[in-house]
Amino acid sequence: MWKKLKVVALGSMVVMMATTTACGSNPKSSKLSAPTPNSPTQSGTGNTLTQSLSQSGSNVIQSGNDDAVLPIKVINNVNYVAASELIQTLKFQSDWDAANQKLLIGDNDANYELTVNSTKAMKDGSDIQVSQPFIKEGDTTYVPVSALSDLFQEDMSFEISKNQLKIHPSPVAPIESEDAADPSGRTNELGFGEDPQDPFKGVKKNESPVSNNLLLENELQVWSPLGQDQVVPVLKNVDVNAMIDKGEQYLGVKYKFGTGPYPETGKFDCSTFTQYVYGKYGIKLQRLARQQAAQGTLVSRKTLRKGDLMFFYVPGRFKSNKTVGHVGIYIGNMQMLHASPEPKNGVQISNIDKAYWKATFLRAKRIVY
């Protein structure tokens, strides 16, 4: 279903470009002027616009077929959408980096960095170029419509029609919070399980069965590059219980979206926390949860071991349920250590034997053995 909708979205983008003139908090929404008329890109999708989705001052509306509809604004003959309205609709977080004139966007870490007055952006840790610049008017940053596919096609299903960006809802209603009930009643079959062969299961902390073979932290050589964006572990002998102990020392440290390194900021987002804890044991994880999800060895939700990384999507009505938005460390007994803005703000331990975590789980990766 998603693949089909993405094809529709990309097709709509091509038609739109052919018919237009060439060329742990969210930013405040700003009332936009009416978009300059352009030629319509598709027909047969017009619906009565019935319900406001956003806070006062926003132009995001919901159509009769449940699409979220964002107005397109023409600036210097280029079609744009307000980043604040896109962020709000997708339930992303954001932050403004004034020093570098960048807008940071993402779930629980900053997957996107958009540089204002430039065609440069960062997506999932990689630099990309778009065809039209990101711009800022007042407090509002605008994203060129031509860049939406390059940036967000994995995060949403959309189309362009009649000077509007239409974002289609997810086919499955999300479970919005950790303590919310499962409306489908199907999450029991998605329960987690532990690997009975986990060498650290039942072992008291700081009493590792492999402690005699551990190397000093400053002697660990644990990563071997395979390319610019890919690394694999070459040393697997880590005291997992000691690593969990170290991670728990940071319980209560505040969460901050898109934060810098902990020694400089005193805060974590989800992926800087896992990166920092593993780094204490000489294991190099990449910066973002989506990047970390590509590392290590895939394991089943039924065979979890202490120290496994667990990856989840962050639910939203208009957002894909296939993209990684959060990462935590499995610490045994159906518990996960992670940095999150919710339900508490900061480093915390959560019980994953809940409908929310079962439904939003995407994969687990084993980094250490």
Side-chain angles (χ1 to χ4, degrees):
M1 179 65 177
W2 280 102
K3 184 178 291 185
K4 181 178 179 181
L5 290 174
K6 287 179 183 176
V7 171
V8 173
L10 291 173
S12 301
M13 290 290 295
V14 171
V15 176
M16 184 277 295
M17 291 301 295
T19 55
T20 55
T21 304
C23 341
S25 60
N26 293 347
K28 294 181 179 178
S29 297
S30 175
K31 187 94 174 180
L32 306 180
S33 60
T36 302
N38 280 345
S39 300
T41 60
Q42 284 190 347
S43 61
T45 57
N47 288 281
T48 304
L49 304 176
T50 58
Q51 182 181 358
S52 172
L53 287 179
S54 54
Q55 299 172 356
S56 176
S58 172
N59 285 331
V60 181
I61 48 183
Q62 185 170 340
S63 70
N65 63 355
D66 292 329
D67 289 342
V69 181
L70 281 64
I72 291 174
K73 182 175 182 179
V74 178
I75 304 173
N76 297 327
N77 292 323
V78 179
N79 289 341
Y80 285 94
V81 293
S84 57
E85 295 178 349
L86 189 65
I87 289 164
Q88 179 189 341
T89 302
L90 296 178
K91 289 196 171 181
F92 278 146
Q93 297 189 69
S94 65
D95 195 21
W96 173 247
D97 179 355
N100 296 300
Q101 292 292 290
K102 290 182 178 181
L103 179 65
L104 310 183
I105 303 173
D107 284 307
N108 285 345
D109 54 11
N111 294 105
Y112 305 99
E113 297 180 6
L114 314 182
T115 303
V116 168
N117 297 324
S118 170
T119 56
K120 295 180 180 179
M122 185 276 286
K123 175 184 178 180
D124 299 341
S126 298
D127 292 331
I128 65 171
Q129 288 282 141
V130 298
S131 59
Q132 302 294 341
F134 306 97
I135 62 172
K136 197 165 187 281
E137 288 190 346
D139 293 332
T140 302
T141 300
Y142 288 93
V143 179
V145 169
S146 59
L148 292 176
S149 289
D150 291 333
L151 291 168
F152 302 115
Q153 65 175 332
E154 292 85 10
D155 297 282
M156 65 179 182
S157 174
F158 68 93
E159 63 181 295
I160 308 299
S161 177
K162 298 181 180 178
N163 308 315
Q164 296 171 330
L165 169 64
K166 295 186 176 183
I167 304 176
H168 307 309
S170 170
V172 179
I175 302 175
E176 296 286 357
S177 64
E178 182 172 329
D179 293 320
D182 173 21
S184 70
R186 296 178 180 175
T187 54
N188 286 338
E189 63 196 53
L190 301 176
F192 298 104
E194 293 186 337
D195 182 357
Q197 303 301 317
D198 184 354
F200 291 93
K201 185 175 182 179
V203 178
K204 293 182 180 180
K205 294 178 181 179
N206 299 320
E207 293 184 8
S208 167
V210 295
S211 58
N212 291 333
N213 296 323
L214 291 176
L215 300 175
L216 296 175
E217 289 183 21
N218 60 2
E219 295 177 350
L220 296 179
Q221 300 295 325
V222 297
W223 294 93
S224 175
L226 293 181
Q228 182 175 1
D229 299 317
Q230 187 177 16
V231 288
V232 296
V234 295
L235 178 69
K236 303 170 184 178
N237 198 356
V238 172
D239 185 341
V240 171
N241 284 321
M243 186 176 70
I244 291 171
D245 248 359
K246 172 62 69 176
E248 289 181 353
Q249 293 177 12
Y250 300 94
L251 286 169
V253 171
K254 295 302 182 184
Y255 167 92
K256 185 180 186 302
F257 171 78
T259 188
Y262 173 75
E264 299 174 10
T265 65
K267 293 180 174 62
F268 290 115
D269 64 18
C270 68
S271 53
T272 58
F273 177 66
T274 52
Q275 184 185 55
Y276 186 75
V277 172
Y278 274 83
K280 284 291 185 180
Y281 287 79
I283 299 172
K284 182 181 178 182
L285 296 182
Q286 298 195 64
R287 168 62 183 88
L288 299 171
R290 292 187 188 182
Q291 294 175 300
Q292 293 175 13
Q295 298 180 238
T297 302
L298 186 67
V299 294
S300 164
R301 69 165 74 214
K302 300 292 188 181
T303 57
L304 297 173
R305 290 185 178 185
K306 288 183 175 181
D308 287 347
L309 292 178
M310 303 187 73
F311 298 92
F312 305 84
Y313 71 86
V314 177
R317 184 73 181 99
F318 296 93
K319 186 161 48 178
S320 168
N321 59 4
K322 302 297 183 183
T323 56
V324 169
H326 187 61
V327 60
I329 303 170
Y330 185 66
I331 61 173
N333 298 319
M334 297 297 110
Q335 293 186 316
M336 177 176 66
L337 178 66
H338 61 131
S340 174
E342 295 177 343
K344 303 175 183 177
N345 182 303
V347 178
Q348 57 196 283
I349 294 175
S350 292
N351 176 11
I352 61 170
D353 193 25
K354 293 184 176 182
Y356 176 86
W357 296 113
K358 293 175 185 178
T360 59
F361 175 78
L362 292 175
R363 67 187 71 110
K365 286 299 192 73
R366 189 156 296 156
I367 305 296
V368 295
Y369 291 78

